[in-house]
Amino acid sequence: MRLFLLQEIEAAKRILLLHQSASPQHFTITNGVHRVAKGGSIMTFFSRNYDRLMGPLENKIIRSFRERLLRTVKGNVLEIGSGTGLNFSCYREADQVVAIEPNRVMREKSMIRAEQASVPIEVVGAGAEKLPFEDQTFDAVVGTLVLCTIPDPESALLEMKRVCKTGGTLVFLEHVRMNHALWGRLQDWLTPAWSRVCDGCHLNRNAVDMIQKAGFRIVTVEKKYKGLVVVIHAEK
């Protein structure tokens, strides 16, 4: 846990320092293979620099979680909040992946990774609270480090349940509020400032409770780093 916390602190320092010196940038990336729908959030400092800021934490810790979580996901898969496409290379057995991401900059950054993936990836500009898909469309719904950021996670999870087939799976990797008197309160205290800098990320949400309340059946919860990180498998 100490290593993970130190990595998060270092990431926070880089975010704050770079945010102070950042100048506006603009990206124009087009692609004729995978569809990028119109719409999405405004360009932000965090979305422009996500890969750079989170690189050390990603390489040392998160990448191995992604690979283990996603390599056996099968069928027609919906990925929630695909960001810059860091999950795309981890899929091995999916028939296809539809990845939604409301942030235009992150969507555009993800296109190269979508093209390089070993399974078909379609990137769609949409928010999780109103999914543009028919009921019972997907065999699996996945997300990594996303429930912390969705503005209305309760509504989003109900939408995930709607588009997931009966008997389908829900697979999530999340950081959550720790069940610890000191660290939990620290997360509560840090969240308002952290959320403003990091595109709405909340350090103190309880992903397991939210998934249960949406009506999914929890199959397994694997806790890492004293409960700071959880790997959740659930079923509809």
Side-chain angles (χ1 to χ4, degrees), residues 100-137:
I100 68 158
E101 173 52 56
N103 188 294
R104 176 180 58 83
V105 175
M106 285 191 164
R107 264 196 331 268
E108 292 173 345
K109 283 177 173 287
S110 75
M111 297 313 300
I112 294 177
R113 290 181 172 128
E115 292 176 346
Q116 295 172 343
S118 60
V119 303
I121 306 281
E122 180 183 20
V123 181
V124 178
E129 296 93 338
K130 192 173 183 180
L131 296 172
F133 311 112
E134 298 294 329
D135 295 359
Q136 302 211 50
T137 297

Side-chain angles (χ1 to χ4, degrees), residues 71-160:
R71 64 191 178 194
T72 59
V73 175
K74 299 179 180 179
N76 187 22
V77 178
L78 173 64
E79 180 175 332
I80 303 295
S82 55
T84 61
L86 291 171
N87 284 338
F88 293 168
S89 64
C90 300
Y91 293 103
R92 295 289 184 269
E93 299 187 21
D95 294 333
Q96 67 171 351
V97 177
V98 177
I100 68 158
E101 173 52 56
N103 188 294
R104 176 180 58 83
V105 175
M106 285 191 164
R107 264 196 331 268
E108 292 173 345
K109 283 177 173 287
S110 75
M111 297 313 300
I112 294 177
R113 290 181 172 128
E115 292 176 346
Q116 295 172 343
S118 60
V119 303
I121 306 281
E122 180 183 20
V123 181
V124 178
E129 296 93 338
K130 192 173 183 180
L131 296 172
F133 311 112
E134 298 294 329
D135 295 359
Q136 302 211 50
T137 297
F138 298 98
D139 300 295
V141 180
V142 305
T144 56
L145 307 179
V146 64
L147 290 178
C148 59
T149 305
I150 297 173
D152 186 353
E154 291 81 7
S155 295
L157 282 162
L158 290 175
E159 277 289 273
M160 295 178 216

Side-chain angles (χ1 to χ4, degrees), residues 16-61:
L16 293 172
L17 290 172
L18 289 171
H19 186 70
Q20 292 172 355
S21 61
S23 58
Q25 301 178 30
H26 300 277
F27 297 88
T28 303
I29 303 175
T30 58
N31 187 288
V33 178
H34 299 276
R35 175 166 62 92
V36 181
K38 293 182 179 180
S41 61
I42 62 172
M43 190 187 315
T44 66
F45 169 81
F46 187 68
S47 60
R48 289 198 308 268
N49 296 279
Y50 181 85
D51 288 350
R52 177 185 177 189
L53 295 168
M54 301 303 293
L57 187 62
E58 176 71 26
N59 294 333
K60 292 182 179 179
I61 297 175

Side-chain angles (χ1 to χ4, degrees), residues 1 177-189 204 226:
M1 183 186 74
R177 189 186 191 279
M178 299 179 69
N179 186 23
H180 186 282
L182 174 60
W183 294 117
R185 286 199 299 269
L186 180 61
Q187 288 173 295
D188 293 337
W189 181 76
N204 59 349
K226 304 296 185 180

Side-chain angles (χ1 to χ4, degrees), residues 181-200:
L182 174 60
W183 294 117
R185 286 199 299 269
L186 180 61
Q187 288 173 295
D188 293 337
W189 181 76
L190 288 172
T191 288
W194 180 269
S195 180
R196 286 193 295 271
V197 174
C198 298
D199 278 11

